[in-house]
Amino acid sequence: MRNQVHLDNQDQSRRRPAHPDEGKIHETKATANNSDQKNIIPAYVLEYAPLVYLHSGEKFWPCDIAEHLEHVTPYLNYTPMAASSASLSLTNLDKLNEYTNGRFVYLTSDDNVEERPDWLEGEKNIPDYPEELHQTLLAGGNNLQQPFGTDQERAVQGGRSDAPAVLVVVDKGQGIVDAFWFFFYSYNLGNLVFNIRFGNHVGDWEHCLVRFEDGKPKHVFVSEHYFGQAYTYDAVEKLGKRPIIYSAVGTHAMYVTPGVHPYILPLGLLHDQTDRGPLWDPALNLLSYTYNHTSDILLSSNSTPDAPTEWFFYNGHWGDRLYPLDDSRQYEFAGQYHYVSGPLGPRFKHLGRRKVCQGRYSDPCVIHNWLPPERPRVLDGIGEGEDWGEDETDPVGLHVKQEHNE
């Protein structure tokens, strides 16, 4: 018997923990002219929006999170829930938190992922931009950081993808504003060790962060698997004023240079690869929000006032759960799996971080003021995939809701 869950869009009572200002802030969402201006995206955030080079050999391109929901069914652990993929939407996804606060809910593919259905690959979302521009950028080589003239700055925008990026702007106070750019892919293709692939999963959230101080860009952070790297804004490549980010083939891990990027797992040496393939301009199609990390309240911004907010509060996983070893698609070696569980969403990426880096405050956060040569970084392992972390890095509203349910 399937678990019963109701996805009535009209019932908003369980969307997230109550907050004293919730009614007032919802009113702010409805009108961009509110004097508090809590949903305003500063102009400088878009002025310094990153540009993303996707890999020329990529097989799994950016995807639309709304379309992703059309091809998955929520499972509670390994049991399908009553809700069908046809009833899931960005405006009711948070209703799945009614079970185990969402922790053990997995958005499971309706198709066998090894058959590579079209929605998983996202080929229709390849950014579209003129070939002439592409050749001009390739010819620029390592001089991309050189400033462009006004006319060229307007021309060098990159291509638009039909898959919207997600922008979450967090005002930390004292002039510090963090602009988180999230990129979603319906599939992550893991890397090879001794010609054996590890770390495949359905659903893939990657992000970069541009931190501003008094309206000026100061730092850039890029996510790389379960770690990441931080740089000064001046250190990274740019087109005009805009930082250049590189997305690795298959895994979509983010880097600030093209080339080979090695890292070490317990089972051996792996590497990501980046190059100057299609240039994606996420600012041309996005869902944009402002987020109060202390009250756990998200507002659709003045730039995209109709952007749904409910999906952001879904506490579960955006892909299948780790396949058991009796599944013919699965294998394991040295504690690492061919298929791991799908990831958690943007709200779980430590949006309230004080440091630029994503990890715990006790972890070191090195900010590079130049582009150092690539050295292998050591990971404890992929394990079974991403799960809830610690109180320090989890969203503030998560454990309030959990205690309420208990």
Side-chain angles (χ1 to χ4, degrees):
M1 179 177 179
R2 292 187 173 191
N3 298 290
Q4 299 295 315
V5 59
H6 302 287
L7 299 177
D8 184 354
N9 291 342
Q10 303 303 314
D11 179 11
Q12 301 294 319
S13 61
R14 294 177 61 109
R15 188 173 67 181
R16 58 185 182 277
H19 184 272
D21 294 332
E22 185 168 14
K24 179 176 66 177
I25 292 179
H26 275 296
E27 185 178 353
T28 305
K29 175 183 175 181
T31 169
N33 295 321
N34 185 282
S35 59
D36 290 338
Q37 297 185 329
K38 291 174 180 162
N39 70 331
I40 303 298
I41 300 292
Y44 57 77
V45 168
L46 297 177
E47 182 181 359
Y48 294 95
L51 293 162
V52 181
Y53 269 117
L54 302 170
H55 194 275
S56 58
E58 185 60 71
K59 300 297 183 184
F60 299 97
W61 302 94
C63 291
D64 185 336
I65 55 175
E67 183 179 357
H68 184 79
L69 297 183
E70 297 174 4
H71 300 281
V72 297
T73 295
Y75 275 53
L76 186 59
N77 291 317
Y78 294 106
T79 303
M81 302 170 75
S84 68
S85 58
S87 64
L88 289 179
S89 74
L90 297 181
T91 60
N92 63 21
L93 193 62
D94 60 330
K95 297 303 175 189
L96 297 176
N97 296 344
E98 293 179 2
Y99 289 86
T100 66
N101 201 14
R103 181 173 188 174
F104 301 109
V105 178
Y106 295 80
L107 301 181
T108 303
S109 172
D110 294 332
D111 300 292
N112 180 356
V113 298
E114 297 201 334
E115 296 177 357
R116 301 294 192 258
D118 290 345
W119 67 270
L120 206 67
E121 296 182 342
E123 185 175 356
K124 67 180 182 179
N125 300 318
I126 298 175
D128 181 20
Y129 67 104
E131 180 63 22
E132 180 181 353
L133 171 60
H134 179 55
Q135 295 303 323
T136 299
L137 296 178
L138 289 178
N142 293 326
N143 294 320
L144 291 174
Q145 70 273 18
Q146 297 300 319
F148 286 79
T150 302
D151 291 339
Q152 276 185 298
E153 279 189 17
R154 281 198 293 266
V156 182
Q157 289 185 325
R160 182 189 186 278
S161 171
D162 287 339
V166 173
L167 169 62
V168 179
V169 176
V170 186
D171 188 338
K172 301 291 179 64
Q174 297 183 326
I176 297 176
V177 171
D178 284 350
F180 292 89
W181 292 86
F182 288 95
F183 314 106
F184 182 76
Y185 308 80
S186 284
Y187 193 71
N188 177 100
L189 184 68
N191 280 321
L192 293 169
V193 181
F194 306 122
N195 209 32
I196 302 175
R197 196 174 298 279
F198 293 91
N200 294 348
H201 54 83
V202 176
D204 188 19
W205 282 104
E206 303 292 342
H207 77 277
C208 69
L209 160 66
V210 181
R211 171 164 287 185
F212 298 88
E213 295 181 10
D214 298 322
K216 303 296 183 182
K218 293 296 182 182
H219 302 109
V220 175
F221 173 85
V222 291
S223 62
E224 303 167 7
H225 304 290
Y226 299 107
F227 51 94
Q229 296 279 345
Y231 302 86
T232 63
Y233 168 79
D234 291 338
V236 302
E237 291 181 357
K238 304 172 193 68
L239 285 175
K241 300 177 180 179
R242 302 178 65 177
I244 293 292
I245 308 297
Y246 294 85
S247 175
V249 61
T251 69
H252 312 121
M254 312 209 81
Y255 298 90
V256 296
T257 57
V260 176
H261 311 275
Y263 60 98
I264 299 173
L265 293 178
L267 48 79
L269 179 68
L270 296 84
H271 63 271
D272 284 319
Q273 296 185 55
T274 58
D275 70 7
R276 295 189 177 105
L279 182 63
W280 180 17
D281 189 341
L284 296 180
N285 182 20
L286 75 164
L287 303 172
S288 59
Y289 305 90
T290 61
Y291 179 60
N292 186 322
H293 68 285
T294 60
S295 60
D296 199 23
I297 291 178
L298 183 81
L299 302 178
S300 53
S301 80
N302 61 312
S303 300
T304 57
D306 296 324
T309 58
E310 291 82 0
W311 66 270
F312 179 82
F313 294 94
Y314 166 59
N315 292 334
H317 300 257
W318 283 77
D320 299 25
R321 188 176 183 184
L322 173 91
Y323 296 157
L325 288 174
D326 60 5
D327 188 314
S328 61
R329 298 169 294 183
Q330 183 68 291
Y331 53 78
E332 176 266 343
F333 178 75
Q336 308 304 306
Y337 293 87
H338 182 46
Y339 283 97
V340 300
S341 296
L344 303 170
R347 183 164 162 258
F348 288 81
K349 308 306 180 187
H350 202 185
L351 302 183
R353 67 184 79 167
R354 295 191 296 272
K355 297 179 179 180
V356 178
C357 302
Q358 181 178 345
R360 296 167 298 189
Y361 294 126
S362 58
D363 294 337
C365 181
V366 178
I367 300 176
H368 302 285
N369 58 15
W370 60 296
L371 300 181
E374 286 291 338
R375 296 177 179 175
R377 287 179 285 279
V378 179
L379 279 176
D380 292 335
I382 300 172
E384 298 185 2
E386 187 178 14
D387 198 359
W388 289 11
E390 304 174 0
D391 290 356
E392 183 179 88
T393 57
D394 282 339
V396 64
L398 181 69
H399 298 287
V400 173
K401 180 65 172 290
Q402 187 177 31
E403 292 169 4
H404 175 73
N405 286 348
E406 293 173 353

PDB file of all heavy atoms in Angstrom, residues 362-373:
ATOM      1  N   SER A 362      34.584  25.475  11.487  1.00  0.00           N
ATOM      2  CA  SER A 362      35.865  24.963  11.961  1.00  0.00           C
ATOM      3  C   SER A 362      36.771  24.536  10.814  1.00  0.00           C
ATOM      4  O   SER A 362      37.968  24.330  10.999  1.00  0.00           O
ATOM      5  CB  SER A 362      35.639  23.779  12.907  1.00  0.00           C
ATOM      6  OG  SER A 362      34.900  22.752  12.257  1.00  0.00           O
ATOM      7  N   ASP A 363      36.201  24.390   9.600  1.00  0.00           N
ATOM      8  CA  ASP A 363      37.004  24.002   8.442  1.00  0.00           C
ATOM      9  C   ASP A 363      37.807  25.203   7.933  1.00  0.00           C
ATOM     10  O   ASP A 363      37.328  26.343   7.991  1.00  0.00           O
ATOM     11  CB  ASP A 363      36.105  23.487   7.312  1.00  0.00           C
ATOM     12  CG  ASP A 363      35.387  22.195   7.672  1.00  0.00           C
ATOM     13  OD1 ASP A 363      35.875  21.486   8.566  1.00  0.00           O
ATOM     14  OD2 ASP A 363      34.340  21.915   7.050  1.00  0.00           O
ATOM     15  N   PRO A 364      38.997  24.970   7.424  1.00  0.00           N
ATOM     16  CA  PRO A 364      39.767  26.094   6.868  1.00  0.00           C
ATOM     17  C   PRO A 364      39.100  26.637   5.614  1.00  0.00           C
ATOM     18  O   PRO A 364      38.462  25.895   4.855  1.00  0.00           O
ATOM     19  CB  PRO A 364      41.127  25.455   6.546  1.00  0.00           C
ATOM     20  CG  PRO A 364      40.837  23.996   6.381  1.00  0.00           C
ATOM     21  CD  PRO A 364      39.720  23.684   7.329  1.00  0.00           C
ATOM     22  N   CYS A 365      39.242  27.921   5.391  1.00  0.00           N
ATOM     23  CA  CYS A 365      38.707  28.559   4.191  1.00  0.00           C
ATOM     24  C   CYS A 365      39.821  29.415   3.598  1.00  0.00           C
ATOM     25  O   CYS A 365      40.057  30.541   4.037  1.00  0.00           O
ATOM     26  CB  CYS A 365      37.473  29.404   4.513  1.00  0.00           C
ATOM     27  SG  CYS A 365      36.735  30.208   3.074  1.00  0.00           S
ATOM     28  N   VAL A 366      40.496  28.865   2.615  1.00  0.00           N
ATOM     29  CA  VAL A 366      41.600  29.560   1.960  1.00  0.00           C
ATOM     30  C   VAL A 366      41.044  30.333   0.772  1.00  0.00           C
ATOM     31  O   VAL A 366      40.376  29.765  -0.095  1.00  0.00           O
ATOM     32  CB  VAL A 366      42.679  28.571   1.487  1.00  0.00           C
ATOM     33  CG1 VAL A 366      43.793  29.307   0.755  1.00  0.00           C
ATOM     34  CG2 VAL A 366      43.232  27.791   2.681  1.00  0.00           C
ATOM     35  N   ILE A 367      41.313  31.626   0.733  1.00  0.00           N
ATOM     36  CA  ILE A 367      40.881  32.460  -0.380  1.00  0.00           C
ATOM     37  C   ILE A 367      42.098  32.780  -1.234  1.00  0.00           C
ATOM     38  O   ILE A 367      43.017  33.481  -0.794  1.00  0.00           O
ATOM     39  CB  ILE A 367      40.210  33.754   0.122  1.00  0.00           C
ATOM     40  CG1 ILE A 367      38.985  33.408   0.976  1.00  0.00           C
ATOM     41  CG2 ILE A 367      39.801  34.624  -1.064  1.00  0.00           C
ATOM     42  CD1 ILE A 367      38.307  34.611   1.600  1.00  0.00           C
ATOM     43  N   HIS A 368      42.129  32.245  -2.438  1.00  0.00           N
ATOM     44  CA  HIS A 368      43.276  32.427  -3.330  1.00  0.00           C
ATOM     45  C   HIS A 368      43.203  33.801  -3.997  1.00  0.00           C
ATOM     46  O   HIS A 368      42.166  34.179  -4.537  1.00  0.00           O
ATOM     47  CB  HIS A 368      43.291  31.346  -4.406  1.00  0.00           C
ATOM     48  CG  HIS A 368      43.337  29.947  -3.860  1.00  0.00           C
ATOM     49  ND1 HIS A 368      44.469  29.389  -3.321  1.00  0.00           N
ATOM     50  CD2 HIS A 368      42.370  29.001  -3.766  1.00  0.00           C
ATOM     51  CE1 HIS A 368      44.222  28.156  -2.932  1.00  0.00           C
ATOM     52  NE2 HIS A 368      42.948  27.894  -3.184  1.00  0.00           N
ATOM     53  N   ASN A 369      44.300  34.506  -3.978  1.00  0.00           N
ATOM     54  CA  ASN A 369      44.344  35.791  -4.684  1.00  0.00           C
ATOM     55  C   ASN A 369      45.065  35.680  -6.025  1.00  0.00           C
ATOM     56  O   ASN A 369      45.419  36.672  -6.643  1.00  0.00           O
ATOM     57  CB  ASN A 369      44.995  36.868  -3.820  1.00  0.00           C
ATOM     58  CG  ASN A 369      46.395  36.510  -3.380  1.00  0.00           C
ATOM     59  OD1 ASN A 369      47.014  35.582  -3.923  1.00  0.00           O
ATOM     60  ND2 ASN A 369      46.915  37.234  -2.399  1.00  0.00           N
ATOM     61  N   TRP A 370      45.291  34.433  -6.456  1.00  0.00           N
ATOM     62  CA  TRP A 370      45.802  34.140  -7.788  1.00  0.00           C
ATOM     63  C   TRP A 370      45.328  32.740  -8.139  1.00  0.00           C
ATOM     64  O   TRP A 370      44.716  32.052  -7.318  1.00  0.00           O
ATOM     65  CB  TRP A 370      47.328  34.239  -7.823  1.00  0.00           C
ATOM     66  CG  TRP A 370      48.033  33.295  -6.885  1.00  0.00           C
ATOM     67  CD1 TRP A 370      47.974  33.270  -5.527  1.00  0.00           C
ATOM     68  CD2 TRP A 370      48.890  32.206  -7.254  1.00  0.00           C
ATOM     69  NE1 TRP A 370      48.738  32.261  -5.012  1.00  0.00           N
ATOM     70  CE2 TRP A 370      49.325  31.590  -6.059  1.00  0.00           C
ATOM     71  CE3 TRP A 370      49.357  31.710  -8.463  1.00  0.00           C
ATOM     72  CZ2 TRP A 370      50.173  30.488  -6.043  1.00  0.00           C
ATOM     73  CZ3 TRP A 370      50.216  30.619  -8.459  1.00  0.00           C
ATOM     74  CH2 TRP A 370      50.616  30.027  -7.258  1.00  0.00           C
ATOM     75  N   LEU A 371      45.564  32.317  -9.381  1.00  0.00           N
ATOM     76  CA  LEU A 371      45.115  30.999  -9.820  1.00  0.00           C
ATOM     77  C   LEU A 371      46.258  30.012  -9.680  1.00  0.00           C
ATOM     78  O   LEU A 371      47.149  29.937 -10.543  1.00  0.00           O
ATOM     79  CB  LEU A 371      44.629  31.058 -11.276  1.00  0.00           C
ATOM     80  CG  LEU A 371      43.465  32.017 -11.534  1.00  0.00           C
ATOM     81  CD1 LEU A 371      43.056  31.971 -13.004  1.00  0.00           C
ATOM     82  CD2 LEU A 371      42.281  31.707 -10.633  1.00  0.00           C
ATOM     83  N   PRO A 372      46.286  29.260  -8.578  1.00  0.00           N
ATOM     84  CA  PRO A 372      47.404  28.350  -8.325  1.00  0.00           C
ATOM     85  C   PRO A 372      47.358  27.160  -9.270  1.00  0.00           C
ATOM     86  O   PRO A 372      46.304  26.815  -9.812  1.00  0.00           O
ATOM     87  CB  PRO A 372      47.179  27.914  -6.875  1.00  0.00           C
ATOM     88  CG  PRO A 372      45.698  28.034  -6.673  1.00  0.00           C
ATOM     89  CD  PRO A 372      45.268  29.201  -7.521  1.00  0.00           C
ATOM     90  N   PRO A 373      48.495  26.487  -9.482  1.00  0.00           N
ATOM     91  CA  PRO A 373      48.492  25.276 -10.315  1.00  0.00           C
ATOM     92  C   PRO A 373      47.647  24.188  -9.673  1.00  0.00           C
ATOM     93  O   PRO A 373      47.515  24.128  -8.441  1.00  0.00           O
ATOM     94  CB  PRO A 373      49.978  24.885 -10.369  1.00  0.00           C
ATOM     95  CG  PRO A 373      50.590  25.528  -9.156  1.00  0.00           C
ATOM     96  CD  PRO A 373      49.828  26.806  -8.949  1.00  0.00           C
TER      97      PRO A 373
END
